[in-house]
Amino acid sequence: MSAAGTRTPSWAARPVAAGRAGRVLLAAFGAAAAADLGSLLADWHLGHVLAKPLLMPLLAGYVLTRGAPRLLVAALLFGWGGDLALLFDAEPAFLVGMGSFALGHVCYLFLFGRVRTSPALGGAYAVALVGTVALLWPDLPADLRIPVAGYSLLLTAMAYRSSALGRAAGAGGALFLLSDTLIATGVAEWPQLPRPDFWIMATYLAAQYLLALGAITRGQAYRREVIQDSTI
């Protein structure tokens, strides 16, 4: 085996358990996402309450059938915790949800590893972070300014580093940042798009799926490298 094979992360060398179960879970995730987004468009709160808690467990179940790393599963489940907390319209629930999402971002950052990413992209994200926080700061409730700023720093770092897993994951990181920025502008009581919850959930669901896809694709690439090297 070549040196490249010895650098393969242990999670990437696991066999893929793809099959009918994975297809069923992915279809169920798609159906739950459609039901949730449709409920938001129709302003049917009960449908949203019923569909939203199903989303991340279904996606986590799907990635498990694809041999996903534990850090990816953990990130999705922390996202699930945030989803549940944000179903409650209260500041303590908002803080709990933000904390759960923050733990998910930490999982993603460890998952991305130390692969080199574009310094120019990092600079663009840094400018976006400083500009967004500076604009939002005066309009945020005083007791939320520091938590939101700290969370924004972690979220932006995750979005920037997500490109380490390829273009799909990089797009997912950017959409996650957009989704949470839409939430923050709502907290700051800025003017919103029609049906803002729909756009928040649409960008969030796309973000989580693309991040998961990027992690799975990178893992499969490592596995092919291991197989090729082992035959040399």
Side-chain angles (χ1 to χ4, degrees):
M1 183 180 291
S2 71
T6 63
R7 292 195 299 270
T8 303
S10 60
W11 63 263
R14 297 196 199 113
V16 179
R20 182 178 179 183
R23 294 191 294 272
V24 169
L25 286 166
L26 183 59
F29 169 73
D36 186 56
L37 295 176
S39 297
L40 292 171
L41 282 176
D43 199 20
W44 185 35
H45 183 65
L46 179 59
H48 175 59
V49 169
L50 293 175
K52 188 178 184 182
L54 301 176
L55 295 166
M56 289 306 106
L58 288 171
L59 185 56
Y62 166 67
V63 300
L64 279 171
T65 69
R66 301 292 303 274
R70 293 178 182 177
L71 282 170
L72 173 59
V73 177
L76 294 174
L77 293 180
F78 279 124
W80 179 48
D83 291 345
L84 295 178
L86 293 186
L87 285 173
F88 300 92
D89 188 15
E91 186 174 307
F94 177 78
L95 290 171
V96 169
M98 188 164 59
S100 189
F101 282 121
L103 291 172
H105 297 326
V106 171
C107 291
Y108 276 129
L109 285 169
F110 278 108
L111 177 63
F112 301 152
R114 299 181 180 180
V115 177
R116 184 179 176 83
T117 47
S118 167
L121 181 62
Y125 271 119
V127 170
L129 170 65
V130 173
T132 302
V133 172
L135 289 171
L136 286 171
W137 188 270
D139 296 323
L140 290 171
D143 57 338
L144 289 180
R145 288 172 179 169
I146 298 301
V148 168
Y151 175 80
S152 297
L153 176 61
L154 181 60
L155 170 62
T156 304
M158 185 281 294
Y160 164 53
R161 291 290 301 143
S162 64
S163 60
L165 295 186
R167 292 182 179 178
L175 285 171
F176 213 134
L177 179 60
L178 174 60
S179 180
D180 281 5
T181 300
L182 292 175
I183 294 176
T185 58
V187 174
E189 299 184 352
W190 283 15
Q192 299 288 291
L193 293 169
R195 301 295 184 197
D197 288 347
F198 169 83
W199 298 110
I200 289 168
M201 282 303 297
T203 50
Y204 167 70
L205 291 174
Q208 292 282 40
Y209 175 75
L210 288 171
L211 286 165
L213 179 64
I216 292 170
T217 302
R218 176 55 60 92
Q220 289 175 336
Y222 274 126
R223 280 186 282 269
R224 285 194 295 270
E225 182 181 336
V226 170
I227 293 172
Q228 291 170 357
D229 289 345
S230 65
T231 60
I232 296 175

